[in-house]
Amino acid sequence: MKRTLIVFGATCVVAFLVLHVLGFRDYVSILSGTPGPGGESGVFAAATGLLYAIAWFSAVLVAPIVFLSVAIHSGLERVPDRSFGRKSRAEQATG
Amino acid sequence: MTKRSSLSRTVRALLAVFLAVAVWVPALGAMFGAGATEDEKSRRAELLLTEQLDPWKGGDSETVDRMRVANPEWDFMGRTFLVLALANRALSFPDERARNLSVMDDVINATMRADRRFGMHYFLLPYSRRAPFVREPEASMFVDGELALMIAARQAVEPRRDLHGELRERIQALVEVFESAPMMSGESYPDECWTFCNTTALAAIRLSDLSLGTDHSALMTRWVAHARANLLDEETRMLISSYTYEGEHLDGPEGSSIFMSATNLLLVDPEFAREQYDLAREHLAKNTFGFGYAREWSAAFAGPVDIDSGPIVPIVEASPGASGMAILGASAFSDDEWLRALMTSLDFAAFPIEDGTSLRYAASNQVGDAVALYAFSFGPLFALASEPTHEVIAWNGAAQ
């Protein structure tokens, strides 16, 4: 599960970088109802603008939170189970 | 897996996410945190101006054409905010004065030509033709008020002889509307009066006193008294955004109007202006982990989403249109704390494209950037008009 989450976060970052390098930043003008570069206002422009915006927020907001969550979760796993309302295995064995 | 072990895994996971959000979001706010110092505002204004000047240097008209496709009003308002910003910078930076006045003239002359050639509907949305205006002959306070403000600003900085008569006629026409209309307001669209447009016209009248040597303070006082009695939302006491010619309330207070209205009112009645800004701040302003934004409607009024509000961001109910105008309001009323937060949001969510010589916000458009430019340069023009004593520079250039 952690591996999946890390891959997901990394994919968000890479996807944004690819869209940025392809020069799709200008298409986000569609968010203000303004046609994109060259006056494009069709499905491609809208989809591209929306995709770039989603990729940006995924890369700078979602992905870091995912990475931090995985790291924090790894740390929390070292905390005894009793802290989360569950007996440790040793306690379960002795009853 | 037992029920209790599943619960502890769930608790761990939720706690991890909660802590990650609690750490990262404020950190993000700090990373994108902007200073609202005069130097930073001036720096941004200078960069924004470079981009704004392009269409008027015979360069890129595509930006304006693209905007007109979405909303011809934006083309017109973009010109107004650009002229006002140029006026402010001409007063602040003597080395820019000649260039700025020249561009102001290009914008004003082109706008007057378009108005004369194509009529007011050229700058209005298509629904301006769906019904006749109540008042005859038809005239749009949106167009007439902003055009008068542009000319008044030009004359306040350095009067042009050929504009003196033009301004006087336009101001007289506006005053006639205010004096004779039942709500002391003119229509911007058929049977639609907007406080945004009417306060802009009042600001134009007040500003024109500088160059015309007139005094419309009595009209200002009467309008404010009338507005207090007839144009305030019952619950929030903020100015409503639109009403019919006879005074029926249409839309309640909205973010994309109230901040500009409050700013305009600084020239009309500073105390009333401050009241309106403080109320807008109270009901519409938000600041989440250092990210500032504005709502389009208060919690008490669920209004429509339109082209001026922009798409509303769900959950947080942030309006790009209202937030953009809030930057102007925060700057005009020296609300540095909220201005900082708004600028942080601008840098994070408006996709700035800066190359060292120019700046624009990709998620915005020419009018949005022009509002930001006006906000970051705000001050000198209104200060000039607010001085208790000033030289009235008549059209012949002689101080009176």
Side-chain angles (χ1 to χ4, degrees):
Chain A
M1 182 63 173
K2 283 180 190 170
R3 187 188 171 91
T4 304
L5 287 171
I6 290 171
V7 168
F8 169 74
T11 304
C12 287
V13 175
V14 170
F16 165 71
L17 290 173
V18 167
L19 291 174
H20 187 71
V21 166
L22 288 174
F24 287 164
R25 193 175 181 88
D26 256 318
Y27 284 90
V28 296
S29 63
I30 209 75
L31 297 176
S32 63
T34 310
E40 290 184 61
S41 58
V43 175
F44 173 78
T48 306
L50 202 54
L51 199 61
Y52 185 94
I54 291 172
W56 162 255
F57 291 116
S58 297
V60 299
L61 186 61
V62 175
I65 288 174
V66 166
F67 295 145
L68 275 172
S69 295
V70 168
I72 292 171
H73 190 267
S74 297
L76 288 176
E77 281 182 326
R78 295 195 175 92
V79 176
D81 286 348
R82 74 169 67 132
S83 301
F84 297 98
R86 174 175 180 246
K87 287 183 178 177
S88 67
R89 285 191 180 174
E91 288 172 327
Q92 286 176 356
T94 55
Chain B
M1 183 186 299
T2 66
K3 191 175 176 181
R4 288 183 71 181
S5 65
S6 173
L7 177 63
S8 68
R9 285 170 67 92
T10 304
V11 170
R12 277 197 184 92
L14 289 174
L15 187 58
V17 172
F18 176 80
L19 289 172
V21 170
V23 167
W24 183 246
V25 175
L28 207 54
M31 274 189 273
F32 283 91
T37 61
E38 288 307 311
D39 283 347
E40 176 59 18
K41 288 195 291 183
S42 182
R43 185 191 75 84
R44 291 183 188 226
E46 192 173 338
L47 293 174
L48 283 164
L49 186 55
T50 305
E51 193 71 28
Q52 289 284 312
L53 291 178
D54 222 26
W56 299 99
K57 289 192 296 190
D60 171 32
S61 68
E62 190 212 340
T63 50
V64 176
D65 295 338
R66 279 163 60 191
M67 208 168 51
R68 281 191 64 83
V69 169
N71 185 344
E73 285 184 352
W74 290 348
D75 167 21
F76 187 67
M77 290 167 66
R79 301 176 192 221
T80 303
F81 291 123
L82 175 58
V83 166
L84 294 174
L86 287 166
N88 279 316
R89 288 190 66 87
L91 290 167
S92 296
F93 302 100
D95 58 329
E96 283 185 23
R97 189 182 179 96
R99 190 272 314 268
N100 290 357
L101 287 173
S102 173
V103 178
M104 286 170 75
D105 289 338
D106 288 343
V107 176
I108 290 168
N109 292 343
T111 307
M112 288 197 298
R113 271 198 309 273
D115 185 39
R116 288 197 185 103
R117 185 176 171 193
F118 302 114
M120 65 181 188
H121 296 282
Y122 181 73
F123 293 116
L124 297 176
L125 289 166
Y127 82 97
S128 69
R129 297 180 192 272
R130 281 189 206 148
F133 280 69
V134 174
R135 189 183 176 91
E136 291 178 355
E138 67 173 21
S140 171
M141 188 59 85
F142 166 67
V143 175
D144 293 343
E146 290 198 21
L147 199 36
L149 184 58
M150 281 194 252
I151 299 171
R154 174 55 166 99
Q155 296 299 83
V157 176
E158 191 176 298
R160 267 170 53 182
R161 188 168 179 155
D162 62 314
L163 283 181
H164 183 83
E166 176 82 33
L167 180 61
R168 188 173 49 210
E169 278 179 30
R170 287 181 176 273
I171 294 300
Q172 279 173 349
L174 292 176
V175 170
E176 191 185 316
V177 173
F178 282 114
E179 297 283 20
S180 60
M183 294 305 293
M184 291 191 73
S185 303
E187 300 159 272
S188 297
Y189 284 83
D191 207 15
E192 265 184 33
C193 301
W194 289 79
T195 45
F196 183 112
C197 308
N198 281 282
T199 55
T200 298
L202 289 168
I205 294 171
R206 179 63 189 89
L207 198 57
S208 73
D209 285 342
L210 284 181
S211 58
L212 297 178
T214 48
D215 180 0
H216 290 96
S217 53
L219 170 64
M220 304 292 141
T221 301
R222 285 201 307 279
W223 191 90
V224 170
H226 177 84
R228 285 187 186 280
N230 299 284
L231 299 179
L232 297 186
D233 171 61
E234 273 184 26
E235 186 152 346
T236 63
R237 306 308 293 164
M238 283 194 282
L239 282 166
I240 57 172
S241 56
S242 65
Y243 43 103
T244 65
Y245 188 70
E246 293 294 334
E248 180 189 339
H249 291 194
L250 294 173
D251 279 332
E254 63 176 15
S256 53
S257 286
I258 189 64
F259 292 108
M260 176 69 173
S261 298
T263 300
N264 290 333
L265 288 169
L266 281 170
L267 285 184
V268 176
D269 185 325
E271 187 180 322
F272 185 53
R274 170 55 71 171
E275 275 176 35
Q276 288 299 305
Y277 178 77
D278 288 346
L279 287 168
R281 184 79 157 78
E282 178 188 341
H283 292 284
L284 303 175
K286 295 291 178 189
N287 187 339
T288 305
F289 294 116
F291 291 99
Y293 57 94
R295 299 167 59 113
E296 178 69 338
W297 307 105
S298 70
F301 183 86
V305 174
D306 61 19
I307 198 160
D308 293 326
S309 62
I312 306 295
V313 178
I315 302 174
V316 294
E317 295 185 323
S319 159
S323 299
M325 284 299 176
I327 294 175
L328 171 61
S331 181
F333 289 87
S334 302
D335 187 352
D336 289 348
E337 182 194 346
W338 196 36
L339 180 59
R340 248 192 322 272
L342 288 164
M343 287 166 69
T344 300
S345 293
L346 194 63
D347 291 344
F348 175 65
F351 301 94
I353 297 178
E354 183 180 335
D355 64 3
T357 59
S358 68
L359 168 65
R360 61 187 173 88
Y361 296 98
S364 181
N365 48 30
Q366 189 267 336
V367 67
D369 287 355
V371 171
L373 169 59
Y374 179 39
F376 295 141
S377 62
F378 185 87
L381 187 63
F382 276 33
L384 189 68
S386 303
E387 286 170 6
T389 58
H390 56 265
E391 291 182 355
V392 174
I393 310 296
W395 63 266
N396 61 3
Q400 295 181 353

